[in-house]
């Protein structure tokens, strides 16, 4: 992660300064319950996968506001990307943009698909990880520490295969058969 900018997202209002990850290498987020620690992680998962702890999509919009927005910038394998996700209560519409940074022009270029679903698929392909894999391997959701262990054996196997990148062997098997 490089930066995270929130506007009217869950407990955060519209005057929140961006969180700059470049200024530290390791962080410990502490504070009293209800002060927005988990919301920072929710913002990242919502930007990338459209998923949060919220019960429904409109719950990401801060109470009393009409829309929410999260911008998440990250580096992956030497490339910089920006994801911008928005939700409007007025129109009941969402928007998602995926952009890649072009060092030659010092600007972001669009990488989004033709729809939110297409763009989400591009993000999953880029990260080699979906939300389900993320919450079962990297990020333990508050109140759901047993998420992985309560899964059915087939689901646990699928998640582990995704984490370990075993699909490459399936592709090799298919090529060998061909």
């Amino acid at each position: 992660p490089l930066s995270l900018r929130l506007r009217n997202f869950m407990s955060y209002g519209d005057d929140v300064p961006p969180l700059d990850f470049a200024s530290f290498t390791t962080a410990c987020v502490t504070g009293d319950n209800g002060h927005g620690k988990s919301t920072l992680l929710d913002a990242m998962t919502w930007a990338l996968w459209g998923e949060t702890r919220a019960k429904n999509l409109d719950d990401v919009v801060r109470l009393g506001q009409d829309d929410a927005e999260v911008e998440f910038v990250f580096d992956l394998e030497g490339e910089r990307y920006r994801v911008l996700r928005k939700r409007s209560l007025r129109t009941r519409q969402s928007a998602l943009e995926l952009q890649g940074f072009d060092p030659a022009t010092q600007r972001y270029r669009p990488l989004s698909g033709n729809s939110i679903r297409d763009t989400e698929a591009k993000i999953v392909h880029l990260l080699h990880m979906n939300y389900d894999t993320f919450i079962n391997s990297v990020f333990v959701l508050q109140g759901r520490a047993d998420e992985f262990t309560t899964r059915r054996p087939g689901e646990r196997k699928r998640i582990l295969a995704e984490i370990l990148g075993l699909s490459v062997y399936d592709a090799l098997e298919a090529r060998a058969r061909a």
Side-chain angles (χ1 to χ4, degrees), residues 3-113:
S3 70
L4 180 66
R5 186 180 56 80
L6 313 173
R7 189 179 60 75
N8 296 330
F9 183 78
M10 294 180 147
S11 59
Y12 288 89
D14 62 357
D15 59 348
V16 179
L19 179 56
D20 179 12
F21 291 90
S23 61
F24 54 86
T25 55
T26 304
C28 176
V29 182
T30 64
D32 293 333
N33 285 345
H35 282 213
K37 299 178 302 296
S38 296
T39 302
L40 294 174
L41 295 166
D42 276 328
M44 289 182 231
T45 62
W46 187 64
L48 295 171
W49 296 289
E51 299 276 352
T52 69
R53 296 170 294 137
K55 292 192 185 349
N56 68 59
L57 185 58
D58 290 339
D59 288 346
V60 300
V61 180
R62 180 181 168 97
L63 286 175
Q65 301 300 318
D66 292 325
D67 57 1
E69 180 178 312
V70 172
E71 177 187 274
F72 183 47
V73 179
F74 61 96
D75 274 351
L76 179 66
E77 298 174 353
E79 301 288 326
R80 180 167 297 168
Y81 298 93
R82 177 167 62 187
V83 176
L84 181 63
R85 191 178 291 262
K86 300 176 185 180
R87 177 68 181 168
S88 171
L89 295 180
R90 280 174 288 181
T91 63
R92 294 285 191 251
Q93 300 238 331
S94 297
L96 175 63
E97 295 175 38
L98 171 63
Q99 302 167 346
F101 186 73
D102 182 355
T105 63
Q106 294 292 299
R107 294 193 175 164
Y108 284 96
R109 65 189 185 292
L111 300 174
S112 300

